[in-house]
Amino acid sequence: MSRSLVLLGRNRAVCAQRFVRFSSDAAASSKPGFLGRLARKWAKRTAFVAVGGTGALYAADKAYMNFKQRLPDSLSTQYFDQLHDGLSRLWSFGKDGAGNLREGASGRFKGLFPTAHADSRSPSDDKDTIRRSRELAEKLARAQQELVQMQNKYQRELERMEQANRDLKRQLLLSRQSSPVATTTASSSTDDEKPLIDMYSELLDLLQEYDSGFDVQDHLPRVVVVGDQSAGKTSVLEMIAQARIFPRGGGEMMTRSPVKVTLSEGPHHVAQFKGGGRMYDLTSERELEALRREIERQMRASVRAGQTVSNDVISLSVRGPGLQRMVLVDLPGIISTVTSGMAVDTRDAITSMSKYYMNNPNAIILCIQDGAVDAERSMVTDLVRSMDPSGKRTIFVMTKVDLAEKSEISPGRIKAIMDGRLFPMKALGYFAVVTGRGNSSDSIESIRQYEEQYFATSHFFRSGALQASQMTTRNLSFAVSRCFWQMVKESVHQQADGFRASRYNLETEWKNTFPRLRELDRNELFEKGKDEILDHVAALSRIAPHNWEKALVEQLWLQMSAPVVEKIYFPAAQGTGPSNFNTRADINLRRWAAKDLPQLSVQAGWEVLLGRFATTLKSDVATGRGKGDLFASLKEEVVKECEARHVASADSIDKLRVIQMNTLEDRAVTSSHQWDDAVKFMESTIQNQLETARGRLHDLIGPGASERWLYWRSRSKEQWDRDAVCQQLKTLLGAAKEHSSSLASDELTTVCKNLQTQGINVSQDFVTDTWNHLYREHFLENAMRNCQECRKAFYHRDLGSNQLHCDDIVLFWRIQRMLHITGNALRQQIENEEARRLSRQVKQILETMANDSDKKMRLITGRQVELAEELKRVRLIQERLESFIDALSREKS
C-alpha cells in the first residue's frame, strides 16, 4: 500500500510540473491576452489541488499514527510501520513537488501577466492565433481531466485505506469484547469503561430531565439540525449516520418531535432506543423498516390530541464502523403555511421548539438550505441569524446541488452562497452535499457513490464555485464532529462548576431547614409511607372482637333503621289487631331479608373495616407520625382506591342470608332482660324518628309565636297556610284518635272549604302532604306511649291495653337479635377473610403507584421532598460531569 501511495503522489506531482512547463511554453509562443489569463487561472487551481492533496496525505498519516498508538501491543505492527513509511515518503515528495510547482509557475509566468493588457490584440485578426488558442484550450481541458482523474484515483486509494482502518478497528473491538478479561469484568463495568460519546449522551439525557423538572437550562453542546420543510434535513442526518433510519413520506411532515441521535463507533452497524432492549441491525432492510415504523409510532404517540408536533424527545443511539462521534437533534422542518389537518399553532410551535434548542449558547446549528429552491424563499436563514448573529456556531449546508445544476442556476450565485455573501447570516463553514436521487429505495452507499461521481464532474466544481473542502457529506461529517468536540471541551468545565455551586447551595438549605432529617427522595419516601400503611393494615388484626362487633352493630342499624321503620313497622302497624300486625310484619320482613338485607349487611361490614383503617391512618397524621402532611394525600388515595375496587363476595352474601332469615324466624323472648333491651331499643328508635318528624313539621309551618318574638323570625305565606291546614287537621285527629293513615275524600273537601272561609285557598295535594307529616308525628307519639305501657308487660303483655298486645316490642327484639348475630358473623368474616383481602388490595394499589411517577409526584409533595429530589439529581449530574471530564482528559493525553 505504501509503494502505491508513493507512486500516486509522484505521478500527481510530475503531472503538475509538466502542466506548468506546457502552460509556460504555450504562453510564450502565443499572444498573451486570453492565454495569459487562462494559464494563470489554471496554474492557481493546479497548485491548490496539489497542495490540498499533500495536506490531506499529512492529515491521514497523522490520524493513522494516533490510531496506531492506541492499538494493543499484542497486535503485529509490521504492516502499520510499512504504511507509515509510505505515507511519510509520499508527504515529502508531495511537498517538494508542490514547491517546484509554485517556483515554476512564478518564474515562467513572471513576464507574461504584467504585459497582458499592453500588447493585446483581437483573436479575430489572426487565424493562426485563434487556431493555437483552440489547441491550447483543448490541451488545458485534457490536462484538467487528467488532474480530476488523478484526484479520483487518489480519493479511492484513501477510501481503501480508511476501509482497512475500519476493519482493523472492528477486529480490535471484537477482540476486546470476546477476550476473557472483558468477559469476567463485564458485570463490574463502570462509566470509565463506556465510550466517551455514550457517557456524553447519558449526561445530556440527565440534563434534559433536570431542565424539564427544575427549569434549569443546560449549556452542553449538541448539533441542532434545522431547516425548511423538505429541505433534506433528515437525509443529511441519515448520510452522517450511514443508514436510512427515519420514516419518509411524499411531501408530508414526517418529523413531528425532536429526535436525539447519538453517533459512536462500534464493530457492528446497529441502533437502539434509550431504555429499549431491542438492537436493530442497520445492514438489514427488514430491520431498517422496523426501526422506521417504531420511530414513526413513537412520534405519533407523543403528539397530544389537537396538536401536530410534540416537544417529547425520542432518544436513539447509532453505532457503526467509521461513524463520527457526536450528538445530533433532528427537529421538525420550518413551515410557512398551516395546511388542513394541522393545529392552528403548528408553525409557532415549530418555531418555538427550534428557538429553544438553538438558544443554547453552545449548540452547533446545522442550517440546511435547499439548493434547488430560490434563496429568497428560505425561512430558516433568518431564524438562524436571529439566534446566532455572529455565526460563531453555525454551519451552513446546501442540499440538492445536483438539482440546482440541472435548473441552470448560475455558478456565480452558488459561489456567492458558499462564500457567505448572498445570505445576511454568517457561518463557520459552508458545505454543499447531495443526499439522494429522488428514489427512497436507494441505499446509503449508492447515494454516496452518486454524490462523489457528481462532484467529480460538476460544473460548479470546474468553474470554481465550489471548493474541494466544501463538498460531500464526508467532509461535512468531519467538520461537524471536529466543531462539536471543540465546543464540548470548551463548555463542559463551566457546566460542572455551575452544578458544583448548585449542590453547595442546596446542601446548605437542607442543613438549615431540615437539620435532623435524612435526605430521602420521593421514591424513598414512598417506600417509607408504603411500609407505614402496610403496618396499619396488619394492626387491624389486633382490634378486640367486642370492639369490632360494637362498631358493626352501630353501622348496621345506621343503614337498617330507615328500611325497618318505613318498610316493615309503619305498614304493619296501620292494621287493626295483633294478628294483622304480625302477618304484615312477617311478609315484609321475609321479603327484605331475602333480597336487600344481606347485601346491605356485607356493605356495612366493609365500610366498618375501611372506616377503621382510614381512621387509623388519619389519627397517625394527626399525632405527627407518618411525616405529617407528607403522606396524608398518599393515605387518602389508598383509601379511595380500596373503596373503588371493593366487590362484595357472593358466597359471603349467601351465607349471611341463611343466618339472618333463620334468626328472624325466632319470636320467643325468653327473659325479662331481653324484653327490657327490646323496649329500650324500640324507644330509642321511635324517639329518633319522632324528633326527625317534628323537625320536618317545624320547617313546614315555620317558627312559633315565641320564636317570632324572641328571635325576630317570621313566617312565609306558605308557612302561614301550612299552619292553618295543621290546625284543621289536628281537629280531625282530636275527634278520631284511631284515625287511619289517609284522609277520606269528604274530609279533604271539608278541610278545603273551612280554609276558604278563612280566605286561604290551597289544593288537596297541599292538604295531603301536610297530613302525612302531621299524621307521622301523631303515629310516633302513640307508638312511644304504647312502648312505655309495654315496659312492664313481659309476663302479662296479652292483657295490656295496647291494641297490638306489645307485638311491636317482639318485632324490635327480633330485629335487635338479628343485628347482634349479623355483627358477630361479619366480625368473623372480617377477621378470617376481609382483613387479608384488604391487605392484598392495599399491596396491589401501592405496587401500582410505585410504577406511576406522575401519581407519586402528585401524592408526595412539599419542600422537603422537592429539595431532596433536586439535591439527588444535582449530585448525580455533577458526578457524571466529573467522570466525563476525566475520561475526556485521558483521551486527550
Side-chain angles (χ1 to χ4, degrees):
M1 181 185 298
S2 60
R3 184 181 297 110
S4 62
L5 287 175
V6 172
L7 292 176
L8 176 62
R10 183 181 293 116
N11 291 336
R12 183 184 180 94
V14 170
C15 180
Q17 291 174 353
R18 289 177 180 176
F19 171 72
V20 170
R21 290 195 300 271
F22 160 73
S23 301
S24 177
D25 295 340
S29 61
S30 61
K31 301 301 179 182
F34 168 74
L35 296 180
R37 290 193 301 272
L38 186 62
R40 178 169 54 186
K41 180 178 181 181
W42 184 247
K44 289 170 61 179
R45 183 178 302 168
T46 305
F48 168 76
V49 171
V51 174
T54 306
L57 283 174
Y58 174 73
D61 178 63
K62 184 177 180 181
Y64 165 74
M65 285 302 299
N66 292 335
F67 164 71
K68 177 186 172 184
Q69 291 175 0
R70 293 195 296 267
L71 290 175
D73 296 336
S74 57
L75 296 179
S76 174
T77 59
Q78 181 179 3
Y79 169 77
F80 302 106
D81 294 337
Q82 294 177 358
L83 182 60
H84 174 253
D85 294 340
L87 287 173
S88 300
R89 290 193 297 272
L90 183 59
W91 154 247
S92 301
F93 183 81
K95 183 172 63 175
D96 297 339
N100 295 333
L101 179 63
R102 289 193 298 269
E103 293 175 1
S106 61
R108 301 199 178 210
F109 294 123
K110 182 175 182 180
L112 177 63
F113 301 124
T115 60
H117 300 284
D119 189 19
S120 60
R121 289 184 300 175
S122 174
S124 60
D125 298 338
D126 193 343
K127 293 183 179 180
D128 186 57
T129 303
I130 294 175
R131 180 179 57 80
R132 291 183 179 181
S133 299
R134 290 177 178 174
E135 291 177 355
L136 179 59
E138 292 175 357
K139 291 181 179 180
L140 287 173
R142 287 195 298 270
Q144 183 181 22
Q145 185 66 29
E146 182 180 356
L147 285 175
V148 170
Q149 292 176 356
M150 185 67 68
Q151 182 180 8
N152 292 339
K153 183 178 180 181
Y154 161 73
Q155 184 67 30
R156 287 192 295 271
E157 190 67 21
L158 282 181
E159 291 175 0
R160 188 172 66 83
M161 293 171 58
E162 290 174 357
Q163 183 62 41
N165 193 9
R166 285 196 295 268
D167 293 340
L168 289 172
K169 286 185 177 181
R170 180 173 178 272
Q171 294 176 10
L172 178 61
L173 291 173
L174 289 174
S175 64
R176 288 178 177 175
Q177 292 179 358
S178 60
S179 64
V181 176
T183 304
T184 56
T185 60
S187 59
S188 60
S189 61
T190 62
D191 287 342
D192 295 338
E193 300 172 358
K194 290 182 179 179
L196 194 62
I197 190 63
D198 289 345
M199 295 174 62
Y200 186 77
S201 179
E202 292 176 1
L203 188 58
L204 289 181
D205 291 335
L206 285 175
L207 288 171
Q208 180 77 20
E209 296 172 2
Y210 184 80
D211 181 25
S212 61
F214 299 97
D215 195 23
V216 175
Q217 175 116 16
D218 73 274
H219 291 160
L220 287 182
R222 66 266 282 161
V223 181
V224 180
V225 186
V226 295
D228 298 330
Q229 185 179 357
S230 302
K233 300 183 295 76
T234 303
S235 299
V236 170
L237 203 154
E238 286 181 335
M239 291 294 291
I240 295 176
Q242 299 181 15
R244 310 204 74 167
I245 56 179
F246 291 102
R248 51 186 54 85
E252 180 185 0
M253 176 185 290
M254 299 305 297
T255 305
R256 296 178 178 270
S257 64
V259 182
K260 181 173 75 71
V261 182
T262 303
L263 301 180
S264 60
E265 272 197 312
H268 305 290
H269 203 186
V270 294
Q272 186 179 20
F273 288 100
K274 175 191 173 183
R278 180 176 180 181
M279 196 81 71
Y280 294 87
D281 183 6
L282 301 185
T283 60
S284 169
E285 185 58 37
R286 183 172 58 86
E287 292 282 293
L288 279 171
E289 182 64 28
L291 176 62
R292 290 192 288 264
R293 286 197 303 268
E294 179 61 20
I295 292 177
E296 184 175 6
R297 185 196 68 78
Q298 292 192 21
M299 283 185 182
R300 295 189 181 276
S302 66
V303 177
R304 295 171 177 80
Q307 299 295 320
T308 306
V309 295
S310 170
N311 290 320
D312 297 342
V313 181
I314 299 174
S315 296
L316 181 70
S317 63
V318 178
R319 295 180 178 84
L323 292 183
Q324 298 298 314
R325 301 177 303 168
M326 67 183 90
V327 177
L328 304 101
V329 181
D330 187 25
L331 300 176
I334 307 297
I335 61 174
S336 59
T337 304
V338 177
T339 59
S340 60
M342 291 184 179
V344 294
D345 62 339
T346 300
R347 180 173 59 183
D348 296 336
I350 294 175
T351 303
S352 300
M353 185 191 306
S354 301
K355 287 183 177 180
Y356 170 78
Y357 281 92
M358 290 189 292
N359 194 45
N360 180 356
N362 293 319
I364 301 169
I365 304 173
L366 207 60
C367 179
I368 309 298
Q369 166 68 29
D370 189 345
V373 177
D374 293 339
E376 291 76 11
R377 294 168 55 187
S378 174
M379 295 172 291
V380 69
T381 52
D382 291 337
L383 180 62
V384 172
R385 180 169 64 100
S386 65
M387 303 305 297
D388 183 26
S390 61
K392 293 182 179 180
R393 52 191 181 91
T394 300
I395 296 177
F396 179 84
V397 181
M398 183 170 62
T399 61
K400 305 178 184 179
V401 185
D402 54 338
L403 299 181
E405 184 171 340
K406 291 179 181 178
S407 302
E408 298 183 354
I409 295 179
S410 168
R413 185 177 178 84
I414 297 296
K415 182 172 179 57
I417 294 175
M418 301 306 291
D419 290 345
R421 293 182 285 105
L422 185 63
F423 292 114
M425 61 165 283
K426 300 178 181 179
L428 283 173
Y430 296 82
F431 291 87
V433 299
V434 175
T435 58
R437 293 179 289 185
N439 187 358
S440 60
S441 61
D442 288 345
S443 65
I444 293 295
E445 181 62 25
S446 63
I447 296 174
R448 188 183 63 80
Q449 293 177 359
Y450 169 72
E451 180 187 41
E452 293 178 354
Q453 292 172 2
Y454 163 74
F455 280 121
T457 59
S458 170
H459 176 59
F460 292 152
F461 174 58
R462 292 174 178 273
S463 63
L466 298 177
Q467 299 179 9
S469 59
Q470 294 178 316
M471 300 184 303
T472 73
T473 52
R474 182 192 301 274
N475 290 335
L476 170 65
S477 179
F478 288 149
V480 173
S481 178
R482 183 170 59 252
C483 183
F484 169 77
W485 284 107
Q486 181 180 354
M487 296 284 281
V488 168
K489 295 170 184 177
E490 293 175 355
S491 61
V492 68
H493 291 281
Q494 180 181 1
Q495 193 78 33
D497 293 339
F499 275 94
R500 192 177 295 110
S502 298
R503 174 178 177 177
Y504 175 79
N505 295 334
L506 293 173
E507 288 176 344
T508 302
E509 181 181 355
W510 181 273
K511 292 177 182 178
N512 294 333
T513 310
F514 309 103
R516 299 182 180 181
L517 295 179
R518 197 158 53 95
E519 296 173 10
L520 299 178
D521 60 18
R522 184 171 279 107
N523 291 329
E524 293 170 335
L525 284 172
F526 177 81
E527 292 298 324
K528 187 176 183 63
K530 174 182 175 182
D531 293 339
E532 290 186 5
I533 293 173
L534 292 177
D535 290 342
H536 287 302
V537 175
L540 294 175
S541 61
R542 296 192 292 269
I543 298 177
H546 67 275
N547 290 333
W548 276 122
E549 292 186 14
K550 180 181 178 181
L552 288 167
V553 170
E554 290 176 356
Q555 183 67 22
L556 283 169
W557 183 238
L558 181 65
Q559 298 188 5
M560 290 181 185
S561 58
V564 166
V565 174
E566 302 294 337
K567 296 181 179 180
I568 299 173
Y569 178 61
F570 277 0
Q574 301 302 319
T576 57
S579 61
N580 194 6
F581 174 83
N582 291 330
T583 301
R584 289 187 177 184
D586 287 344
I587 293 173
N588 294 334
L589 201 59
R590 288 193 188 98
R591 185 185 299 118
W592 180 57
K595 184 178 180 181
D596 299 331
L597 181 58
Q599 290 90 338
L600 188 146
S601 301
V602 171
Q603 181 63 28
W606 167 252
E607 290 177 1
V608 169
L609 175 62
L610 189 62
R612 183 58 63 92
F613 175 53
T615 302
T616 305
L617 295 179
K618 290 180 180 179
S619 63
D620 193 25
V621 173
T623 56
R625 298 179 58 216
K627 301 302 177 187
D629 292 337
L630 270 181
F631 296 149
S633 299
L634 175 63
K635 293 175 179 179
E636 290 177 2
E637 185 71 16
V638 170
V639 173
K640 290 180 181 179
E641 287 288 334
C642 290
E643 186 176 2
R645 296 187 182 191
H646 176 72
V647 178
S649 172
D651 185 55
S652 301
I653 293 175
D654 293 338
K655 291 179 180 178
L656 197 59
R657 180 183 291 110
V658 174
I659 295 173
Q660 290 173 334
M661 294 191 69
N662 292 334
T663 303
L664 291 172
E665 290 296 328
D666 188 7
R667 295 184 178 85
V669 184
T670 58
S671 68
S672 59
H673 177 70
Q674 293 177 348
W675 183 266
D676 293 339
D677 290 342
V679 171
K680 292 178 182 179
F681 178 57
M682 181 178 175
E683 279 184 344
S684 63
T685 302
I686 298 300
Q687 183 64 37
N688 291 334
Q689 294 292 326
L690 181 59
E691 291 176 358
T692 303
R694 286 173 177 171
R696 291 176 181 174
L697 188 60
H698 178 271
D699 294 338
L700 289 176
I701 65 175
S706 59
E707 289 183 86
R708 293 197 299 272
W709 282 100
L710 294 175
Y711 301 106
W712 291 84
R713 295 177 181 176
S714 61
R715 287 177 174 175
S716 64
K717 183 180 181 304
E718 181 181 353
Q719 290 175 336
W720 283 108
D721 293 343
R722 290 278 186 185
D723 184 57
V725 173
C726 283
Q727 298 301 325
Q728 293 292 326
L729 295 177
K730 286 180 180 179
T731 303
L732 287 177
L733 287 175
K737 294 189 179 295
E738 302 297 332
H739 199 287
S740 64
S741 61
S742 59
L743 286 173
S745 59
D746 56 340
E747 292 175 331
L748 277 173
T749 303
T750 302
V751 170
C752 289
K753 287 183 178 180
N754 293 337
L755 292 173
Q756 287 176 357
T757 59
Q758 300 176 15
I760 300 174
N761 294 318
V762 294
S763 64
Q764 291 186 357
D765 293 337
F766 188 85
V767 175
T768 302
D769 181 63
T770 307
W771 165 260
N772 292 333
H773 288 88
L774 184 63
Y775 181 80
R776 184 182 183 88
E777 180 187 32
H778 172 72
F779 172 81
L780 290 172
E781 289 174 349
N782 289 336
M784 181 62 72
R785 286 192 294 269
N786 294 335
C787 181
Q788 292 173 356
E789 290 178 4
C790 293
R791 181 181 297 276
K792 303 297 184 181
F794 172 68
Y795 296 105
H796 48 82
R797 59 180 181 272
D798 294 337
L799 303 177
S801 59
N802 184 355
Q803 65 170 350
L804 299 180
H805 292 178
C806 297
D807 285 342
D808 49 357
I809 302 294
V810 177
L811 173 63
F812 276 91
W813 176 81
R814 294 164 66 187
I815 293 173
Q816 185 184 36
R817 185 167 178 268
M818 181 272 297
L819 283 175
H820 288 289
I821 292 178
T822 301
N824 181 270
L826 289 175
R827 189 263 306 168
Q828 295 179 13
Q829 193 176 34
I830 287 175
E831 292 178 345
N832 297 332
E833 298 178 10
E834 293 299 325
R836 290 197 294 268
R837 184 180 176 189
L838 176 64
S839 178
R840 290 194 300 269
Q841 277 189 353
V842 171
K843 288 180 180 178
Q844 292 174 358
I845 292 169
L846 291 173
E847 287 175 0
T848 304
M849 289 181 178
N851 299 323
D852 192 341
S853 300
D854 294 337
K855 183 168 287 189
K856 286 192 292 186
M857 188 173 297
R858 178 173 58 85
L859 296 176
I860 303 179
T861 59
R863 183 54 186 165
Q864 177 183 341
V865 62
E866 292 174 359
L867 185 58
E869 283 277 302
E870 188 171 4
L871 189 53
K872 178 182 178 182
R873 188 65 59 86
V874 167
R875 282 173 177 161
L876 178 60
I877 293 175
Q878 183 194 352
E879 292 172 359
R880 294 295 179 87
L881 277 168
E882 292 176 352
S883 298
F884 176 76
I885 292 173
D886 292 340
L888 187 63
S889 62
R890 287 196 301 270
E891 184 179 74
K892 288 193 295 184
S893 60

